[in-house]
Amino acid sequence: SQQGEEDPQALSIQEGENATMNCSYKTSINNLQWYRQNSGRGLVHLILIRSNEREKHSGRLRVTLDTSKKSSSLLITASRAADTASYFCATEVVYRSVNAGGTSYGKLTFGQGTILTVHP
Amino acid sequence: DGGITQSPKYLFRKEGQNVTLSCEQNLNHDAMYWYRQDPGQGLRLIYYSQIVNDFQKGDIAEGYSVSREKKESFPLTVTSAQKNPTAFYLCASSGGTGLAGPGGYNEQFFGPGTRLTVL
């Protein structure tokens, strides 16, 4: 089942502007993560926000989480051409495995992504 | 260098053939995952493994098979039963945490992907 839905599907801005991407989900989660993917490459983890957190910062990234609305946003400030990529939100549900001795593992469900283009 | 590798980068398959995609990690991670990505889409989970000799089906396991004989390796076989196998395949791994820890807040580390095309 698709958990995360992202908006907009595509975003085109000029260098120096801020970029905001939104993510909505349907069921309870343990945390929400944002990933970046350059064209034809693997994904790179950007930031994780736990379900009991409301806002988190990392460099030029700001993530918010509203569990009552089941939504999150990713803000990239002062964007650069190098920020051009696809951005995915992923909701994580944590489960415990009896086979693995009770160790906790996360299962991610990804949204369809936002394609961000930053023009120099 | 620590990381996760996938091979080959590009793979071409004739209809009716099985092919195996390689995924290796030297991060000492317990959990490994296989995802499929179609153009303009997000990732969908095929199979995942929490520990050696154990794996579970994800959301779209039909037509795929995996094995986990070593901690470092999690190969994916795309069988002839998979009706639409042309896609970008991504492997990932994560560490997992014990019960005493904060509990499973794990980022996943991704390989560079394998692009499979059926001719």
Side-chain angles (χ1 to χ4, degrees):
Chain A
S1 60
Q2 199 73 11
Q3 172 77 302
E5 297 293 333
E6 295 184 62
D7 169 61
Q9 290 186 338
L11 181 60
S12 181
I13 60 174
Q14 296 295 126
E15 244 182 348
E17 294 179 341
N18 295 342
T20 299
M21 290 160 264
N22 302 297
C23 172
S24 61
Y25 58 93
K26 297 177 182 176
T27 62
S28 295
I29 61 173
N30 292 93
N31 68 68
L32 187 144
Q33 304 179 29
W34 286 90
Y35 287 80
R36 166 193 169 129
Q37 183 182 34
N38 284 37
S39 181
R41 310 288 286 274
L43 275 69
V44 175
H45 182 265
L46 295 176
I47 195 166
L48 180 153
I49 186 164
R50 300 181 183 188
S51 59
N52 61 354
E53 297 177 315
R54 292 297 167 258
E55 187 171 315
K56 202 161 184 181
H57 296 255
S58 177
R60 294 183 296 113
L61 305 180
R62 172 178 170 255
V63 171
T64 61
L65 179 65
D66 187 336
T67 53
S68 66
K69 295 181 180 178
K70 292 186 170 60
S71 67
S72 173
S73 67
L74 171 68
L75 168 67
I76 304 174
T77 59
S79 63
R80 305 166 183 168
D83 294 329
T84 295
S86 294
Y87 292 82
F88 294 91
C89 69
T91 53
E92 183 174 30
V93 175
V94 175
Y95 54 91
R96 288 197 166 86
S97 167
V98 173
N99 290 346
T103 304
S104 298
Y105 292 91
K107 186 177 175 183
L108 292 180
T109 304
F110 287 83
Q112 293 185 323
T114 293
I115 300 172
L116 174 65
T117 304
V118 182
H119 300 281
Chain B
D1 288 339
I4 181 166
T5 59
Q6 292 183 242
S7 63
K9 187 173 181 180
Y10 298 97
L11 186 58
F12 298 90
R13 188 194 95 172
K14 293 181 180 179
E15 283 195 25
Q17 285 183 336
N18 292 355
V19 290
T20 298
L21 283 59
S22 169
C23 178
E24 303 276 335
Q25 54 97 2
N26 61 5
L27 300 167
N28 200 32
H29 284 167
D30 289 316
M32 297 188 74
Y33 310 82
W34 273 106
Y35 296 93
R36 170 184 171 134
Q37 185 178 32
D38 292 284
Q41 301 294 314
L43 279 64
R44 291 183 291 169
L45 183 64
I46 305 172
Y47 267 98
Y48 60 101
S49 169
Q50 302 163 348
I51 201 167
V52 175
N53 294 322
D54 184 54
F55 50 83
Q56 287 82 39
K57 293 181 179 180
D59 299 320
I60 55 165
E62 186 175 351
Y64 300 97
S65 65
V66 294
S67 63
R68 187 85 187 278
E69 297 176 0
K70 298 187 301 182
K71 187 176 185 177
E72 301 80 15
S73 178
F74 190 41
L76 173 74
T77 297
V78 184
T79 75
S80 57
Q82 171 48 238
K83 298 306 178 188
N84 185 21
T86 294
F88 189 49
Y89 290 87
L90 287 158
C91 179
S93 68
S94 68
T97 60
L99 290 174
Y105 302 129
N106 296 308
E107 67 175 281
Q108 291 188 11
F109 293 80
F110 283 81
T114 293
R115 189 166 299 279
L116 173 64
T117 302
V118 173
L119 303 174

